[in-house]
Amino acid sequence: MAILEVKNINKSFGKTEVLKGVSFSLEEGQVLSIIGSSGSGKTTLLRCINFLETADSGKITVDGDVLFDSESTEKLSSKQKRDKQLSIGLVFQQFNLFPQYDVLGNVTLAPKLRAKERPDFKKNKAQIYAEIEEKALKLLNQMGLSEKVHNYPCELSGGQQQRVSIARAMALEPKILFFDEPTSALDPELTGEILKVIRELAETNMTMVIVTHEMNFAKEVSDYIVFMDQGVIAEEGKAEDIILNPQTERLKAFLNKVNDK
């Protein structure tokens, strides 16, 4: 059974159709990369899956739990919607860290807010917070940031800030981790360190969806690649097949343009 199923997603902004019947599925532990030119609908697709945008129609299911179904008459409460969102972690292009919190505070903020909903929170607050911080410290160590725990975002490099944002996304134990162009805001010399982190996550069988313009990286780390063009999936398949043996003229043209840069 697929951990993520996206069926016939459509999304328009005014008269502009951005997504036109997009469908795909992903098995647990797999890495899917989504490639395509700017304006092809990649980021809008991620935002619809993450509830940052609401699709006009279609259905999205994560691990058997329906996140969105345009044909359903059920109206989700704010809490139900938030609970569904927690199954998905999102790492943004821009790091979106809270400047008023140090590194540890950024990573523990959401888990601590979530913990307040636990029935035993008042009785066991200190223990619960200690456990959250211990887990956050392990994640930061995994990201190579154990010495930056009490630094603030303004004191970190772009690569370090992006690693904090990855740790923050993982702190809520999402079933799927989404990356939206995770290296686009970084200098080329810092790109490698983020790609290394994502490779290491792939080796742990973390289920991931990555919107990326790094074609060699996509080929190396992905099980499957989707090529989007003008709001539709124009070609999809195994990573090496898509990158090394494109079947459509549109994908060939895109790869030639990317490789010429």
Side-chain angles (χ1 to χ4, degrees), residues 6 8-11 17-24 33-45 225-236 248 250-251 254:
V6 175
N8 200 31
I9 293 296
N10 294 277
K11 177 65 178 177
E17 289 184 283
V18 181
L19 298 175
K20 308 169 189 175
V22 175
S23 300
F24 67 89
S33 285
I34 302 176
I35 63 174
S37 302
S38 296
S40 61
K42 307 184 303 296
T43 293
T44 299
L45 176 60
I225 291 179
V226 161
F227 169 60
M228 292 192 65
D229 184 43
Q230 298 182 354
V232 302
I233 294 179
E235 193 167 340
E236 59 185 311
T248 62
R250 186 66 191 91
L251 177 54
F254 169 76

Side-chain angles (χ1 to χ4, degrees), residues 169-185:
M170 293 179 65
L172 288 170
E173 299 181 336
K175 294 176 181 177
I176 308 173
L177 194 55
F178 283 72
F179 293 87
D180 184 11
E181 297 278 13
T183 62
S184 64

Side-chain angles (χ1 to χ4, degrees), residues 35-78:
I35 63 174
S37 302
S38 296
S40 61
K42 307 184 303 296
T43 293
T44 299
L45 176 60
L46 257 62
R47 291 178 65 85
C48 285
I49 297 173
N50 282 273
F51 281 106
L52 298 176
E53 299 284 355
T54 301
D56 297 327
S57 62
K59 186 175 181 179
I60 300 168
T61 305
V62 173
D63 201 18
D65 184 23
V66 177
L67 269 64
F68 171 79
D69 186 355
S70 59
E71 296 185 1
S72 174
T73 57
E74 178 187 3
K75 297 297 183 182
L76 298 178
S77 67
S78 296

Side-chain angles (χ1 to χ4, degrees), residues 106-116 129 132 168 171-172:
N106 267 279
V107 177
T108 59
L109 179 61
K112 286 181 176 179
L113 290 174
R114 185 184 183 188
K116 292 180 179 180
Y129 276 8
I132 289 172
R168 180 178 62 181
L172 288 170

Side-chain angles (χ1 to χ4, degrees), residues 49-170:
I49 297 173
N50 282 273
F51 281 106
L52 298 176
E53 299 284 355
T54 301
D56 297 327
S57 62
K59 186 175 181 179
I60 300 168
T61 305
V62 173
D63 201 18
D65 184 23
V66 177
L67 269 64
F68 171 79
D69 186 355
S70 59
E71 296 185 1
S72 174
T73 57
E74 178 187 3
K75 297 297 183 182
L76 298 178
S77 67
S78 296
K79 184 180 184 303
Q80 287 174 318
K81 190 174 181 180
R82 186 172 67 252
D83 288 343
K84 288 177 179 290
Q85 284 178 300
L86 292 175
S87 62
I88 294 174
L90 178 60
V91 178
F92 298 89
Q93 294 180 29
Q94 302 295 333
F95 321 121
N96 290 358
L97 299 178
F98 296 105
Q100 69 272 35
Y101 295 113
D102 63 13
V103 167
L104 185 61
N106 267 279
V107 177
T108 59
L109 179 61
K112 286 181 176 179
L113 290 174
R114 185 184 183 188
K116 292 180 179 180
E117 298 177 0
R118 289 176 49 167
D120 63 338
F121 175 73
K122 290 184 178 180
K123 183 179 179 181
N124 300 309
K125 177 180 177 180
Q127 180 183 347
I128 291 170
Y129 276 8
E131 290 172 354
I132 289 172
E133 292 189 2
E134 181 181 3
K135 178 183 172 183
L137 290 170
K138 288 180 179 178
L139 284 171
L140 290 168
N141 183 60
Q142 182 181 346
M143 295 294 126
L145 294 168
S146 56
E147 296 182 357
K148 300 292 184 179
V149 169
H150 297 300
N151 286 84
Y152 286 82
C154 64
E155 300 173 315
L156 304 177
S157 70
Q160 289 169 338
Q161 290 186 60
Q162 189 63 298
R163 280 183 276 155
V164 174
S165 70
I166 294 172
R168 180 178 62 181
M170 293 179 65

Side-chain angles (χ1 to χ4, degrees), residues 191-255:
T191 295
E193 66 182 70
I194 298 305
L195 298 184
K196 179 176 181 288
V197 168
I198 297 174
R199 284 191 185 94
E200 290 171 350
L201 289 174
E203 290 171 0
T204 68
N205 293 320
M206 182 75 200
T207 308
M208 294 185 285
V209 177
I210 307 167
V211 170
T212 183
H213 59 276
E214 303 281 348
M215 294 302 108
N216 285 333
F217 170 72
K219 177 172 69 69
E220 292 171 11
V221 78
S222 307
D223 297 289
Y224 204 76
I225 291 179
V226 161
F227 169 60
M228 292 192 65
D229 184 43
Q230 298 182 354
V232 302
I233 294 179
E235 193 167 340
E236 59 185 311
K238 292 181 179 179
E240 285 201 358
D241 291 340
I242 290 293
I243 301 299
L244 299 180
N245 190 29
Q247 298 299 302
T248 62
E249 293 302 318
R250 186 66 191 91
L251 177 54
K252 291 176 184 177
F254 169 76
L255 292 174

